[in-house]
């Protein structure tokens, strides 16, 4: 069935492609944060364990919003580890470092996600896709705030 939401098909495809990268970054960061939640140790255990849980829950909800936006634009949302690994700029170290290294890695991951979203923003703006612009703004705001909070633990 033809989609007629006021955004031409080619523009919708470009936005969806960009959002696919945002989804992959978000999902990869979700997995990393959840793994760190399970494996954090040390004197900041309780604080970090709870903080990481709040963060992975927020990221999990975001993955659904992003994927559903991609679908609303008429594209398939990427799924599966291979697709996310190919699309994501967030690095998956695949291990559980000490607490300080976890915090640093999450700061880097959130900053990467912000940069990815920022690259997609002009594509969505050019397409007149205010819904995707709003979604990207929310992602950037959340990850910028999370990165700031995590960085404050390293000072």
């Amino acid at each position: 069935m033809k989609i007629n939401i006021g955004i031409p098909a080619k523009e919708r495809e470009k936005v969806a492609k960009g959002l696919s990268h945002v989804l992959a970054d978000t999902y990869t960061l979700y997995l990393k944060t959840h793994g760190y939640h399970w494996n954090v140790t040390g004197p900041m255990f309780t604080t970090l364990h709870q903080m990481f849980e709040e963060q992975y829950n927020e990221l999990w909800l975001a993955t659904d919003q992003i994927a559903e936006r991609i679908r609303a634009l008429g594209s398939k949302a990427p799924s599966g580890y291979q697709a996310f690994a190919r699309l994501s700029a967030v690095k998956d170290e695949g291990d559980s470092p000490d607490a300080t290294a976890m915090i640093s890695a999450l700061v880097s991951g959130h900053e990467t996600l912000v940069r990815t979203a920022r690259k997609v923003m002009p594509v969505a703006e050019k397409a007149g896709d205010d819904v995707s612009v709003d979604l990207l703004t929310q992602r950037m705001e959340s990850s910028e705030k999370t990165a700031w909070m995590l960085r404050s633990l390293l000072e």
Side-chain angles (χ1 to χ4, degrees), residues 3 11 30 41 73-74 85 91 104 119 144 150 153:
I3 297 172
E11 297 300 311
Y30 158 78
T41 59
L73 291 169
K91 300 300 176 211
S104 293
K119 286 179 189 172
E144 286 178 0
L150 290 165
L153 294 169

Side-chain angles (χ1 to χ4, degrees), residues 29 32-33 36 51-52 55 90 93 99-115 143-155:
L29 190 54
K32 180 182 288 201
T33 306
Y36 288 175
M51 180 184 274
F52 293 165
Q55 291 171 4
V90 174
E93 291 85 14
T100 302
M102 286 179 179
I103 295 166
S104 293
L106 292 178
V107 167
S108 177
H110 280 281
E111 289 175 344
T112 298
L113 174 55
V114 169
R115 289 190 306 273
S143 281
E144 286 178 0
K145 183 177 180 179
T146 300
W148 157 64
M149 291 180 166
L150 290 165
R151 273 192 308 272
S152 72
L153 294 169
L154 299 173
E155 294 177 355

